[in-house]
């Protein structure tokens, strides 16, 4: 049965604690008895299951650079970090940069990957646009089953 993974990427940065990790390494034990040690639960899930599609939801200031770094592209990770760090009070990761990351992850994870970076805050003014962004992402799912990781 084909399965899609729907997961969330957090990472609100604290300007006062720039070097503090957003996620901490943990050991995840699966029913098979295997243990995956990682700081991002979706990475452990990827090791346990072959997903046909992976949809990652985050905000424009989520730690997208972590995914680029884990895929071995330090240059892209630095570009994302620079955009989100410089823009904490502004735009965050740029759409074209997110597109580069999406291509990198699709190749690295050997599956179809979709990334969605929403505004950091959902307000009365942007709620309809943000909800439509989520609907558009969910419409990309074409699998029989969806694993919903809400560990954010």
């Amino acid at each position: 049965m084909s399965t899609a993974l729907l997961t969330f990427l957090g990472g609100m940065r604290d300007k006062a604690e720039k070097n503090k990790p957003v996620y901490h390494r943990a050991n995840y034990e699966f029913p098979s008895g295997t243990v995956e040690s990682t700081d991002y639960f979706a990475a452990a899930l990827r090791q346990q299951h072959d997903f046909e599609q992976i949809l990652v939801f985050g905000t424009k200031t989520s730690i997208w650079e972590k995914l680029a770094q884990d895929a071995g592209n330090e240059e892209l990770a630095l570009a994302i970090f620079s955009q989100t760090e410089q823009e904490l009070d502004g735009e965050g990761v740029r759409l074209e940069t997110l597109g580069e990351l999406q291509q990198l992850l699709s190749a690295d994870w050997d599956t179809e990957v979709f990334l969605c970076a929403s505004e950091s805050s959902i307000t009365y003014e942007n709620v309809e646009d943000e909800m439509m962004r989520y609907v558009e992402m969910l419409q990309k799912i074409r699998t029989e089953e969806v694993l919903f990781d809400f560990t954010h």
Side-chain angles (χ1 to χ4, degrees):
M1 184 176 302
S2 62
T3 307
L5 172 62
L6 194 153
T7 187
F8 295 87
L9 182 66
M12 183 57 126
R13 291 172 183 78
D14 183 343
K15 288 181 182 180
E17 298 185 53
K18 289 183 182 179
N19 295 323
K20 181 180 175 189
V22 176
Y23 288 123
H24 297 279
R25 184 166 292 279
N27 294 323
Y28 299 99
E29 186 173 346
F30 289 88
S32 64
T34 60
V35 176
E36 300 290 342
S37 181
T38 181
D39 54 358
Y40 180 49
F41 184 59
L45 289 172
R46 282 194 359 264
Q47 297 302 314
Q48 294 296 309
H49 196 290
D50 289 325
F51 294 102
E52 185 175 319
Q53 295 178 297
I54 299 176
L55 291 81
V56 183
F57 290 83
T59 66
K60 292 182 178 181
T61 57
S62 290
I63 57 166
W64 300 103
E65 69 273 9
K66 164 97 176 91
L67 302 180
Q69 201 169 32
D70 288 353
N73 191 325
E74 291 293 331
E75 186 176 324
L76 182 57
L78 184 58
I80 294 169
F81 181 77
S82 295
Q83 290 170 20
T84 55
E85 193 65 16
Q86 291 172 6
E87 302 287 343
L88 277 177
D89 298 320
E91 294 299 313
V93 68
R94 296 184 186 108
L95 189 58
E96 58 273 6
T97 309
L98 203 62
E100 287 179 52
L101 178 60
Q102 183 170 291
Q103 288 179 350
L104 171 68
L105 296 177
S106 290
D108 188 62
W109 296 349
D110 194 29
T111 193
E112 190 173 30
V113 175
F114 297 103
L115 306 178
C116 177
S118 63
E119 297 299 326
S120 296
S121 297
I122 297 179
T123 64
Y124 179 77
E125 289 81 23
N126 71 6
V127 68
E128 286 183 27
D129 291 339
E130 291 303 316
M131 292 301 112
M132 282 310 301
R133 187 185 324 258
Y134 297 158
V135 167
E136 288 169 6
M137 277 284 283
L138 295 173
Q139 288 175 334
K140 295 174 190 272
I141 297 173
R142 54 178 167 63
T143 60
E144 301 168 31
E145 196 172 77
V146 175
L147 178 61
F148 184 48
D149 163 27
F150 55 91
T151 58
H152 180 51

